[in-house]
Amino acid sequence: AKVMETLESNLLKLSNTEYSDAFSDVGKEKDTYTDDSEHGNYDVRTDQSLLIEHKLTRQKTEPRTKASLKSDAMASSGLFFKDGKKRIDYILVYKKSSPQVEKRSTFEKNLRAEGLMLEREPAVTNSDIMFVKIHCPWETLCKYAERMNIRMPFRKKCYYTDWRSKTMGSLQRNMRELKSWLPRNPMKLDKEALPDLEETDCYTAPFSRARIHHFTINNKDSFFSNSTRSRIVHHMLQRTKYEDGKSKMGINRLLNNGTYEAAFPPHEGSHKSRHPIKTHGAQNHRHLLYERWARWGMWYKYQPLDLIRRYFGEKIGLYFAWLGWYTGMLIPAALVGLFVFLYGLFTMDSSQVSYEMKITKRKIQGVSVEETLCKEICEANETIMCPMCERNCTLQKLNESCIYAKVTHLFDNGGTVFFAIFMAIWATVFLEFWKRRRAVLTYDWDLIDWEDEEEELRPQFEAKYSQVERVNPITGKPEPFQPFPDKLSRLMVSVSGIFFMISLVLTAVFAVVVYRLVAMEQFASFKWYFIKKYWQFATSGTGVCINFMIIMSLNVVYEKVAYLLTDLEHPRTESEWENSFALKMFLFQFVNLNSSIFYIAFFLGRFAGRPGKYNKLFNRWRLEECHPSGCLIDLCLQMGVIMVLKQMWNNFMELGYPLLQNWWSRRKMKRSGQLMEHKISLPQWEKDWNLQPMNLHGLMDEYLEMVLQFGFTTIFVAAFPLAPLLALLNNIIEIRLDAYKFVTQWRRPMPARATDIGIWYGILEGIGVLAVITNAFVIAITSDYIPRFVYAYKYGPCTDQGYRQEKCLKGYVNSSLSVFDLSELGMGYSGYCRYRDYRAPPWSSTPYEFTLQFWHVLAARLAFIIVFEHLVFGIKSFIAYLIPDMPKDLCDRMRREKYLVQEMMYEAELEHLQRERKKNGKQYHHEWP
């Protein structure tokens, strides 16, 4: 025992001198805030066997040059300390010219006191930049892994499916053999190309130093993965003080006040190699992710989710799993939407046959409803339409709207109602099956019990409410508590800010409406013939572009306001902060994107009045009314332009902007001439420093983009059936674009854990409910489906003969147009004109009053909305009831695993106690301890 104590003390001195040597080069510089004596104060408690092994290997390897050259190579790779042994777990970056010297010195001293090892190194390309490399020793890793309840592997899994495969029937075995002879699925990745992720094949349990003998520790350097080590160091950085005071803690505050410029875990090396991966293999996990995931040539392959999770953490892995699932589910929706569009396209082309041809009644019965409507509009060369503006508009014939009628027919045809019902059911199926997919992933990634174990308080919350404490009802320990009056007052201020920003959005939409009213008069008297002829299209197109620019400008303001309001609320945990911030950003951007679409869908042309008695805004500008072919064309134009431009802008900001920034930083380094003259290869930490940082809420931006796209895909899909196809094409690009960005353009984000996609699932469910309501109103109010339906059954030529689609809508266009006496306008016109409405003619006893057909159509619209909503909600609820949230075989595996883990823990404890009794010479008994 005395010999061991002497050996341990000598080794402690030796390790301290080694650690001080690591700082010797930095200490020689003029760095007044570096105290090299501080690193001797930190606790270097290490396992005794490891110390003996370390001394023996040191004595053997010191005289050998090969080992020293190997350590130098490992150190130069940028992944280890200068000794080539201590792995870099985290990087801090600061400027030597920064005035926050005392805070940084105190912070680093406290980090060493917590058990971390630090090493400074100046930058190669900038003499003002200093890097602080952080290494977490084994003892510190174990201490904080136990404190954070990190689950670690302790026994290889005995799969329940292995037992089940033995009892599988001969038919299923034959089917499996037959499947092996079939061609391999080209979308699957080769198993040989991916590493064997051993931790997924082991049972896990919360790490405990008292029961360290239970866990499978083959190598202490690789027992904790790189992402786990970085997560532990980040946990320590978040809770280390830099000044006296309860709120003076955390790396985030030091980043905000300029003490440090950046803090990030390093990448595992370069993502490229001079040698092909097929012959030489992958250099590291980053290189493997680039070759098998981030390259554009892998766009049709499944994603390596286990490898993504291992490198970036479970939170980012779940995002890519959800994005891949969403993209796959868009395939059937895109196919059905394309079929509806092609149906309208083919019937539109066949509708160009003229009615002037003398055809028999039997041939007329072969013409479809949509063909009849298009022909009635395109051949109405004698029907005069009332002027659609006050001063500069001329009288137009109905057949001049032929192009608009054909384009409207592409989206408003017989398949619209079916597609709306299909998309409502699709949204439910997508969410229900995602819950099953998420359950499988959380089981495979060992996240089933994580939420209850690791939900921690935010440091800002602890610092703010440290004086008020109460006992946690779950843990039984005292913790900071936010009083209800304080919470309510902050929540009210936040809600007021949200309503103010939403009112700002509505003000912007109102400004666009005013622009449309003013531009309508100007384009109608434009010098260019094309603009003058299609003045309505020009008004709508320019209005959409202006609205898009306003949307993108306001989004910048919304992000800052949402950040301030969320910090004002002081959420208790990090997940609560993220959920609150995500909800605000979604509300802001959803209203910002969709308010103009809601206006066009449900308000445009509804309150315009009638000829001779138009409603005017501020008694000056006449309200805009729909085109003679309907308002659906304006809605389609608004959705298509905003959706396409928004996706193009997002893709540029996600990849193009970081590429430009990284290119500019490389160009500045080339201008300095340091790298070209001396041909110095940058270490990994400096390469990462030159990359772009991931935002604090970067993943929130990715979710927000996809959720808003989901809203475009479902809410107004009855008006724009090509939305799922555009979303599918965008997402195929988005997956590889995000992968390329995470692997090559961004610094490695802190690997975080999560069990689901957070508040976004609830938002998706809310969008699904809203989609049913909006599609019901679009079909009933915006489209002409209900007026055509009422005319065919009540006012058409076959009212008493039963509904026959081929001829019952003949004369519908004439029935939907009312008559007005032009002499009442006082503009020098005479005769009659037509306008879209159901009003009595001027020669009737009640001129310009609503007719009975108007009230029939209104009643049918309300009835359709009620029936459609109840029917679709009933189908959605029934489907959600039929699909369980978790597969049955997964439930059985989880129950069996809990049973086996409990048995294994008992057995391992018993074996350990028996070995201890044998070692101590005590009597051995066969009993439980």
Side-chain angles (χ1 to χ4, degrees):
K2 291 181 180 180
V3 171
M4 294 303 296
E5 290 177 2
T6 305
L7 180 61
E8 183 176 358
S9 62
N10 291 335
L11 287 176
L12 284 174
K13 294 178 182 178
L14 181 61
S15 61
N16 289 340
T17 54
E18 286 180 356
Y19 190 66
S20 61
D21 290 341
F23 280 85
S24 59
D25 296 335
V26 182
K28 293 178 182 178
E29 299 179 1
K30 295 181 180 180
D31 197 359
T32 58
Y33 43 85
T34 303
D35 186 6
D36 291 340
S37 62
E38 290 172 3
H39 49 68
N41 299 329
Y42 98 95
D43 191 7
V44 203
R45 292 171 296 176
T46 320
D47 188 36
Q48 203 171 51
S49 60
L50 182 63
L51 287 171
I52 299 173
E53 181 181 302
H54 175 71
K55 181 170 180 63
L56 293 177
T57 54
R58 176 178 172 85
Q59 292 174 351
K60 291 180 181 180
T61 56
E62 274 183 346
R64 300 171 67 178
T65 57
K66 289 184 179 181
S68 61
L69 289 174
K70 182 179 179 181
S71 64
D72 292 340
M74 295 175 69
S76 63
S77 67
L79 301 177
F80 294 86
F81 276 22
K82 291 181 179 179
D83 60 1
K85 299 177 182 178
K86 302 180 184 67
R87 176 178 292 275
I88 300 175
D89 298 318
Y90 224 87
I91 297 292
L92 302 180
V93 186
Y94 68 88
K95 291 183 177 180
K96 296 179 183 178
S97 58
S98 173
Q100 307 289 347
V101 177
E102 185 177 354
K103 293 180 181 179
R104 183 167 55 251
S105 178
T106 305
F107 183 71
E108 293 178 4
K109 185 186 298 184
N110 292 334
L111 289 178
R112 297 188 190 102
E114 288 293 326
L116 296 178
M117 302 178 71
L118 278 62
E119 183 179 81
R120 291 188 180 90
E121 187 155 337
V124 177
T125 58
N126 191 340
S127 59
D128 191 36
I129 296 296
M130 182 70 74
F131 295 97
V132 180
K133 300 175 284 185
I134 300 178
H135 169 74
C136 192
W138 168 256
E139 188 65 25
T140 307
L141 286 172
C142 294
K143 179 175 67 175
Y144 276 90
E146 182 178 10
R147 186 176 298 178
M148 297 171 63
N149 286 323
I150 296 178
R151 302 180 68 90
M152 299 303 295
F154 72 94
R155 189 71 63 88
K156 198 160 182 71
K157 285 185 178 180
C158 302
Y159 283 107
Y160 186 61
T161 53
D162 293 341
W163 170 85
R164 189 174 61 180
S165 62
K166 296 178 182 179
T167 60
M168 189 180 298
S170 58
L171 178 62
Q172 294 181 349
R173 287 197 299 269
N174 294 335
M175 290 295 294
R176 180 175 295 180
E177 294 178 0
L178 179 62
K179 189 176 180 180
S180 63
W181 287 93
L182 296 176
R184 190 180 59 182
N185 187 355
M187 299 176 68
K188 290 185 177 180
L189 289 168
D190 298 333
K191 291 184 178 180
E192 296 80 9
L194 297 176
D196 184 19
L197 305 178
E198 296 180 357
E199 64 266 20
T200 59
D201 295 330
C202 296
Y203 294 117
T204 60
F207 185 79
S208 172
R209 287 178 293 178
R211 297 185 176 183
I212 195 171
H213 51 275
H214 291 177
F215 297 92
T216 307
I217 306 177
N218 298 323
N219 186 356
K220 292 184 178 181
D221 293 334
S222 61
F223 178 67
F224 294 102
S225 64
N226 292 340
S227 59
T228 304
R229 298 172 68 99
S230 299
R231 190 154 55 92
I232 291 175
V233 174
H234 180 78
H235 175 87
M236 300 173 67
L237 293 175
Q238 287 283 70
R239 283 156 176 78
T240 301
K241 289 188 176 183
Y242 57 87
E243 279 185 358
D244 293 334
K246 294 185 178 180
S247 62
K248 308 296 183 180
M249 68 166 62
I251 186 64
N252 290 339
R253 292 181 181 271
L254 293 176
L255 291 172
N256 293 333
N257 61 29
T259 305
Y260 288 99
E261 297 296 317
F264 53 89
H267 278 295
E268 294 184 4
S270 176
H271 65 277
K272 289 186 177 180
S273 175
R274 293 176 296 178
H275 307 290
I277 191 173
K278 291 184 178 180
T279 57
H280 291 74
Q283 292 183 341
N284 49 66
H285 285 161
R286 187 187 184 195
H287 180 214
L288 184 63
L289 280 172
Y290 176 77
E291 292 291 337
R292 302 303 181 190
W293 180 47
R295 286 194 307 110
W296 295 104
M298 309 298 291
W299 66 270
Y300 62 96
K301 294 283 189 180
Y302 292 139
Q303 301 182 85
L305 294 178
D306 288 335
L307 190 60
I308 297 171
R309 168 246 179 175
R310 180 169 183 170
Y311 193 81
F312 292 110
E314 288 79 3
K315 192 171 185 178
I316 295 177
L318 270 177
Y319 162 72
F320 281 103
W322 176 83
L323 181 58
W325 184 259
Y326 171 47
T327 304
M329 289 293 292
L330 278 174
I331 295 176
L335 292 177
V336 176
L338 183 61
F339 172 78
V340 173
F341 179 80
L342 292 177
Y343 171 74
L345 182 64
F346 291 148
T347 54
M348 181 191 68
D349 292 338
S350 62
S351 66
Q352 297 177 4
V353 182
S354 175
Y355 263 140
E356 295 178 359
M357 297 175 59
K358 294 182 179 180
I359 49 180
T360 61
K361 181 178 179 180
R362 184 173 301 175
K363 289 184 179 179
I364 293 177
Q365 293 178 354
V367 182
S368 68
V369 176
E370 290 78 14
E371 295 171 15
T372 303
L373 299 180
C374 288
K375 289 176 182 177
E376 287 190 16
I377 294 177
C378 293
E379 298 184 1
N381 51 10
E382 297 181 357
T383 303
I384 305 298
M385 301 301 295
C386 296
M388 300 186 67
C389 58
E390 290 290 330
R391 294 174 296 177
N392 302 319
C393 292
T394 58
L395 298 177
Q396 294 181 342
K397 295 181 180 180
L398 181 60
N399 62 348
E400 295 181 13
S401 304
C402 179
I403 297 178
Y404 291 96
K406 292 177 180 178
V407 175
T408 301
H409 170 62
L410 292 175
F411 307 101
D412 186 13
N413 52 61
T416 302
V417 177
F418 162 75
F419 188 54
I421 297 175
F422 171 82
M423 287 303 297
I425 297 174
W426 172 88
T428 301
V429 172
F430 160 65
L431 293 176
E432 292 299 322
F433 276 96
W434 163 248
K435 286 194 289 188
R436 295 168 61 89
R437 175 63 175 160
R438 186 198 68 85
V440 174
L441 287 176
T442 53
Y443 170 78
D444 291 339
W445 294 351
D446 201 23
L447 297 171
I448 297 297
D449 301 324
W450 174 81
E451 184 175 0
D452 295 333
E453 296 173 354
E454 297 198 19
E455 191 69 15
E456 301 166 351
L457 298 179
R458 297 180 71 236
Q460 294 84 349
F461 181 86
E462 291 179 329
K464 178 69 176 178
Y465 299 103
S466 58
Q467 297 180 355
V468 182
E469 292 185 349
R470 75 168 185 178
V471 177
N472 189 308
I474 299 175
T475 62
K477 299 178 181 179
E479 66 177 17
F481 170 69
Q482 183 180 13
F484 179 75
D486 181 78
K487 184 176 182 178
L488 182 62
S489 61
R490 293 177 179 275
L491 186 62
M492 293 300 295
V493 173
S494 179
V495 171
S496 302
I498 293 173
F499 278 106
F500 173 77
M501 296 306 297
I502 291 177
S503 65
L504 183 62
V505 176
L506 299 180
T507 304
V509 173
F510 180 76
V512 175
V513 172
V514 173
Y515 163 79
R516 292 170 64 106
L517 299 180
V518 176
M520 181 173 60
E521 297 282 349
Q522 301 300 323
F523 285 131
S525 59
F526 210 74
K527 295 181 180 180
W528 295 350
Y529 173 76
F530 180 81
I531 300 294
K532 186 176 182 180
K533 184 178 180 180
Y534 300 103
W535 60 269
Q536 283 187 312
F537 179 80
T539 302
S540 300
T542 55
V544 170
C545 294
I546 293 175
N547 186 34
F548 177 75
M549 289 188 290
I550 293 175
I551 287 172
M552 302 312 297
S553 301
L554 290 178
N555 281 345
V556 179
V557 180
Y558 295 154
E559 182 174 347
K560 297 181 179 179
V561 173
Y563 199 90
L564 291 175
L565 292 178
T566 307
D567 281 343
L568 179 65
E569 294 176 4
H570 283 297
R572 178 175 174 271
T573 61
E574 197 66 33
S575 62
E576 290 181 6
W577 190 96
E578 292 178 358
N579 291 340
S580 179
F581 181 74
L583 182 60
K584 292 180 181 63
M585 286 296 296
F586 170 75
L587 289 176
F588 290 157
Q589 294 206 19
F590 181 81
V591 176
N592 194 20
L593 279 174
N594 295 280
S595 54
S596 59
I597 299 176
F598 272 90
Y599 163 74
I600 293 176
F602 304 127
F603 297 99
L604 179 62
R606 310 298 169 194
F607 309 101
R610 62 171 180 83
K613 194 179 180 181
Y614 284 112
N615 299 321
K616 295 184 178 182
L617 183 65
F618 303 133
N619 292 325
R620 181 176 179 182
W621 295 298
R622 171 181 158 183
L623 294 181
E624 191 177 3
E625 58 181 316
C626 293
H627 199 271
S629 60
C631 291
L632 201 64
I633 183 64
D634 291 325
L635 182 59
C636 296
L637 179 64
Q638 185 86 5
M639 288 191 60
V641 171
I642 290 181
M643 187 173 185
V644 173
L645 291 181
K646 184 76 164 55
Q647 291 179 349
M648 291 175 61
W649 177 259
N650 287 338
N651 291 339
F652 169 75
M653 292 302 296
E654 287 183 6
L655 183 62
Y657 186 65
L659 279 173
L660 290 176
Q661 287 182 315
N662 292 334
W663 170 80
W664 183 252
S665 63
R666 289 194 300 268
R667 185 181 179 184
K668 288 195 298 184
M669 286 191 297
K670 288 182 180 180
R671 281 182 176 180
S672 64
Q674 298 180 24
L675 300 181
M676 300 300 295
E677 293 177 4
H678 305 286
K679 295 184 179 180
I680 301 174
S681 61
L682 294 179
Q684 186 60 47
W685 58 77
E686 192 155 353
K687 292 179 182 178
D688 294 347
W689 161 247
N690 292 324
L691 297 178
Q692 297 303 309
M694 182 180 178
N695 301 331
L696 293 176
H697 43 81
L699 205 57
M700 192 280 303
D701 293 336
E702 310 296 331
Y703 274 119
L704 180 62
E705 178 188 353
M706 291 295 103
V707 169
L708 291 174
Q709 184 204 84
F710 180 80
F712 266 95
T713 307
T714 55
I715 292 179
F716 290 98
V717 73
F720 193 58
L722 288 180
L725 179 62
L726 294 179
L728 175 63
L729 297 177
N730 175 79
N731 287 6
I732 292 175
I733 301 174
E734 180 77 17
I735 291 177
R736 304 304 160 182
L737 188 147
D738 284 348
Y740 185 83
K741 177 179 62 179
F742 271 92
V743 174
T744 66
Q745 300 302 311
W746 275 1
R747 297 172 192 162
R748 187 177 183 179
M750 201 283 294
R753 308 200 83 187
T755 56
D756 53 22
I757 60 176
I759 198 175
W760 299 109
Y761 184 84
I763 292 176
L764 291 172
E765 284 188 328
I767 290 176
V769 173
L770 182 62
V772 177
I773 300 173
T774 53
N775 282 306
F777 276 88
V778 167
I779 295 172
I781 296 177
T782 310
S783 73
D784 286 340
Y785 177 79
I786 298 301
R788 291 198 303 259
F789 186 81
V790 172
Y791 176 82
Y793 274 95
K794 186 66 178 177
Y795 300 95
C798 51
T799 302
D800 300 326
Q801 305 175 12
Y803 180 72
R804 292 163 63 187
Q805 187 181 19
E806 61 270 10
K807 68 175 184 177
C808 289
L809 286 177
K810 187 177 181 181
Y812 164 74
V813 175
N814 182 61
S815 174
S816 63
L817 298 177
S818 300
V819 181
F820 180 74
D821 188 358
L822 285 172
S823 61
E824 298 182 18
L825 289 178
M827 300 174 63
Y829 295 116
S830 61
Y832 297 99
C833 65
R834 310 296 295 273
Y835 61 98
R836 282 177 58 93
D837 211 339
Y838 297 101
R839 292 181 182 269
W843 56 80
S844 68
S845 58
T846 56
Y848 307 123
E849 295 293 331
F850 288 118
T851 62
L852 184 61
Q853 186 176 358
F854 169 81
W855 300 108
H856 284 165
V857 170
L858 180 61
R861 282 172 168 168
L862 296 177
F864 174 83
I865 291 172
I866 296 174
V867 172
F868 182 88
E869 288 181 356
H870 283 71
L871 175 64
V872 175
F873 279 134
I875 296 175
K876 285 168 63 73
S877 301
F878 182 69
I879 291 176
Y881 172 77
L882 288 180
I883 302 175
D885 294 344
M886 189 177 294
K888 186 178 183 303
D889 59 340
L890 180 61
C891 294
D892 295 339
R893 288 172 61 184
M894 290 173 57
R895 293 173 61 186
R896 179 173 176 79
E897 180 173 324
K898 287 183 178 180
Y899 170 77
L900 291 177
V901 167
Q902 188 177 12
E903 292 292 324
M904 291 175 185
M905 293 294 287
Y906 281 140
E907 292 176 0
E909 188 67 29
L910 180 59
E911 292 175 359
H912 175 69
L913 185 60
Q914 290 173 350
R915 286 196 301 268
E916 290 294 326
R917 287 179 173 176
K918 288 183 179 179
K919 186 186 299 184
N920 298 333
K922 294 183 179 180
Q923 189 176 0
Y924 171 69
H925 298 285
H926 293 278
E927 81 250 357
W928 289 96

